[in-house]
Amino acid sequence: MKRILFVGVLLSSGSYGTLAVAQDSQSSKKLPPVTVTDDGQPKNVRQNGTRNTRGRTARRSRQAAPQNQQFAPQQQQQPVGVLAPQNQILSTVPRPAGASSVTQQGIAILGGPAQTSFYQALTMVPSVLVESPDPYGLSPTRNINIRGKGDFHLSKNIEGLPLAGIVGGTDLYDLENIRRIDVYRGAVPSDQGLGLSNASGVVNQLILGPQDKAGVTGRQAFGSDNFYKTFVRVDTGLLKETGTSAFVSVSNISADKWKGAGDNERQNLTFGINQAIGERITVDVNAVYNKFDGNTYRALSYAQAQDIGRNYRFDYNTVLTGVPATDVNYYKFNRVTAEDFAILGKVDYNFAPGQHLLIKPYFWNNNGYSYGAAGNQVQIWRQQNQNVGNVFEYTGKFATGTDVVAGYWWQSMQPPPPPTDQRRFNVNAGNLVFANWQSLARIDDFTVNSPYFQVSQKFGDTFVTAGVRYMILGGPKMQYYNTIGIPDGSYDQALATNPALYPDATVQARDYTAWLPNIAIRQDLNSVLSANLSYGRRFGRPDWGPQASNYIQNRGVFFAKGYTLQTLVDKVRPEIADQFDASLRYSNNGLTIVPGAFYAKHQNKQVKIVDPSIGPNIAYYQGTGSSTEYGAELEASYALNTYLAVFGTGTWASETFDSDTPTLGGGATLATKGKQIPNAPQVMVKGGVTYQWAGLSVSPIVRYIGPRYGDAANTQRVPGYTVADFTASYDFGAHFGIESVKAGISVLNIFDRRYVSEISPNDTDLSAGANYYAGAPRTVVGSLSMKF
């Protein structure tokens, strides 16, 4: 009944996006030229009302504003003598405090030679730490830390829709098909934070859709460790007779691991179509198929990480020894596979001027397996996930300057997490021999029902947007079975044996709810200076997976102490994060500088600890943690002329636990009060230069990441590091009468620095059992791309 009432409330009641577009359009005369440059968003002929051969006007201008359009610049002629669009890495257009946007040019430079990992494209964003041992970003061994929070609670969206799952799958899109990436570190507008968790923030990829001009884009790259990538994209252009435009792209990538043995391979097929139906309806459909198969990198212990020079190339074994306890670390027994298919659509019905109804259905399916050493055995975890969802949305622009967005988000998600089935195998003469089922469970689907509302208004030189989303996360019913005697086989075959239920390992379904308000204010102080304030509440879903795995693995010990799985699951709650941001924005004569400050409180923080009162080395999660984060950020860019620009970001942050962490059984507390959250550097400084002239493009970039800790007690200190990268290209297409023929070279980690790149896990694990991964060595890649 309460969900029905919320639908009624929505009908009686918009977005940062619509507000900011109004802000930019109404204040563009005051803003210096540098703030109105093209951000890589393709200009569409249909925005100008071009008539097709049927005499109809394909009115793209009447469509609703695209997702996150608060970052979209005005389509104005680029003035001479200011920052050219091809020199922008982070967008210089006005945006709410605590938000940033990586341009298409920035993606091409920061996304690396493989152009697959959207994590890598975010390396220059303030308060963002990107970590991986893989220079190409192909490996699933990676992490991203935003203001002290890891990626478990990060909303990873495409066109505002939460396509990915919590576990399983890999990057869906080649970055050549992405036109912009928006990052919300602070407050999130109610229509942009969709996802089971956004306590770490939101990253939203915007697709480079079908182009109105027909063309072909191709890129071939070769590099270190037998890397190669082949990418081809074909655009049909606008077919005026039917009002149709479409594109299709294919890519194939492979690279050996830079240490140990094994490789990573990825194949991708992407399709997009835009279809005008009459003058009021537009349909967009995007579909992608992605297949990945790769060997993982082996982690270092803290002792090994302290001597990174000696242990730099430590990895999984390349030969079998005949000793099972050793052979579980054979590289072929430590790998990941994933086969993903996703489709997302948008039907836009423009029923009146400025008034739109949108339907945005989506579907994601992953079919994969994770192989890894588990003690003296190899564990195989079936990761077959599926998300089905839809967003129903109304957007309205009114003559009063008011913009309104009201919508309803529904999603059903199949597990894992938690794991429905995991099997253990012994190693015998180099073969995997079935040993036992580690876990077997029936787990219902997760459900989400989430209405939202956002309204934006201009009051002279003041711009205000505010909204709220109500999150209803339906946690599933879980039933775990006694697996003794069940033979090897598929999940369905195992259930068909009618195994007995563990009565103490049953969890009842329940709803987790939260109100998620947000507000942002922008005040134009004069033609070159503005102030921004924002507040927003974010949500992090409870993580039942490790609770269930820990309980099943140590069931006898827990049960002897009077604990059931329901007891442990009830101890974790949704993490609530309150975010406050303030920033100034100065832009004049080619200089844009955005200093900012942030403050955040995280409650019900889910933390993993070891509880000696239950048993030695027994670890579990509890939602009793809290933390406080505050700090300062800086974004800056300066165009010396039309050819040369410098840019940089900086972060100083204190991200600490508020108190010592008590254990579930009343044992000794863990001394975490005032300690910096694991894997959260206090200082990050990043900068670079872009130079473009007569077809030549050069971009050196340097990143300094300060010291971090691998444990909550701050006893495992990891030194800071500095890494320099370099990219250069020359476009000689003009010599052949072709739009673009570009030869390029990329050098990552120019000085071959040896350092610890990734620490995993981080803000949720207080058990002092972190894994450390060495950063990749110098990597060189050459490429040839063509566009015509």
Side-chain angles (χ1 to χ4, degrees), residues 529-530 532 582-586 592-597 632-636:
L529 182 64
S530 63
N532 293 270
S583 67
L584 293 173
R585 180 180 181 279
Y586 174 84
T592 298
I593 182 168
V594 184
E633 299 174 336
L634 176 68
E635 287 187 40

Side-chain angles (χ1 to χ4, degrees), residues 7-125:
V7 176
V9 171
L10 288 178
L11 295 177
S12 64
S13 61
S15 152
Y16 284 138
T18 52
L19 165 71
V21 170
Q23 292 177 9
D24 292 346
S25 63
Q26 296 180 44
S27 61
S28 60
K29 293 182 180 179
K30 298 181 179 180
L31 297 175
V34 69
T35 66
V36 294
T37 56
D38 192 333
D39 198 19
Q41 183 175 355
K43 187 173 181 179
N44 197 301
V45 174
R46 282 174 284 179
Q47 291 179 339
N48 297 327
T50 302
R51 291 186 175 273
N52 60 30
T53 56
R54 294 182 180 179
R56 296 176 178 173
T57 301
R59 302 189 183 184
R60 178 72 64 89
S61 62
R62 298 175 63 177
Q63 295 180 28
Q67 298 288 343
N68 293 354
Q69 196 166 359
Q70 69 273 19
F71 293 139
Q74 301 302 298
Q75 298 287 351
Q76 299 185 20
Q77 183 178 358
Q78 174 64 39
V80 177
V82 300
L83 183 60
Q86 64 269 20
N87 279 335
Q88 290 188 41
I89 302 299
L90 299 181
S91 174
T92 59
V93 302
R95 54 193 177 271
S100 297
S101 182
V102 183
T103 67
Q104 192 171 4
Q105 173 68 7
I107 293 170
I109 293 175
L110 303 176
Q115 289 288 292
T116 58
S117 172
F118 69 92
Y119 277 20
Q120 285 194 332
L122 307 179
T123 54
M124 291 301 297
V125 177

Side-chain angles (χ1 to χ4, degrees), residues 230-272:
T230 303
F231 172 86
V232 177
R233 168 171 166 149
V234 179
D235 276 273
T236 66
L238 175 61
L239 306 178
K240 296 183 179 180
E241 178 64 28
T242 62
T244 306
S245 59
F247 80 91
V248 62
S249 75
V250 294
S251 68
N252 186 29
I253 309 176
S254 179
D256 293 341
K257 290 169 55 184
W258 60 268
K259 64 175 179 176
D263 59 11
N264 292 283
E265 297 181 348
R266 176 183 182 271
Q267 294 84 41
N268 186 277
L269 173 64
T270 303
F271 171 77

Side-chain angles (χ1 to χ4, degrees), residues 87 89 105 109-110 123-124 643-648 686-692 696-703 723-729 745-751:
N87 279 335
I89 302 299
Q105 173 68 7
I109 293 175
L110 303 176
T123 54
M124 291 301 297
Y643 314 115
L644 181 64
V646 296
F647 58 91
K686 315 164 190 177
V689 175
T690 57
Y691 176 77
Q692 296 199 8
L696 176 66
S697 177
V698 179
S699 298
I701 293 175
V702 178
R703 293 174 288 120
V723 174
D725 303 326
F726 176 83
T727 61
S729 65
I745 185 171
S746 298
V747 184
L748 309 180
N749 193 1
I750 297 172
F751 302 107

Side-chain angles (χ1 to χ4, degrees), residues 541-574:
R541 79 162 186 88
D543 186 11
W544 305 276
Q547 295 292 71
S549 297
N550 286 337
Y551 185 84
I552 296 302
Q553 186 172 354
N554 302 285
R555 178 175 169 268
V557 178
F558 277 112
F559 194 63
K561 294 290 185 177
Y563 298 117
T564 66
L565 179 56
Q566 185 75 60
T567 304
L568 293 188
V569 168
D570 287 344
K571 292 297 181 180
V572 293
R573 296 171 289 173

Side-chain angles (χ1 to χ4, degrees), residues 432-466:
L432 294 181
V433 179
F434 175 75
N436 62 278
W437 287 83
Q438 173 64 20
S439 64
L440 180 67
R442 290 186 189 270
I443 302 174
D444 293 344
D445 293 353
F446 295 81
T447 60
V448 176
N449 287 273
S450 189
Y452 56 86
F453 173 76
Q454 192 86 18
V455 61
S456 306
Q457 181 67 58
K458 178 180 181 295
F459 304 95
D461 289 332
T462 303
F463 307 94
V464 180
T465 183

Side-chain angles (χ1 to χ4, degrees), residues 317 319-330 333 376 427-430:
N317 304 333
V319 297
L320 291 164
T321 65
V323 179
T326 300
D327 289 343
V328 296
N329 289 310
Y330 183 52
F333 299 153
N376 292 329
V427 181
N428 186 358

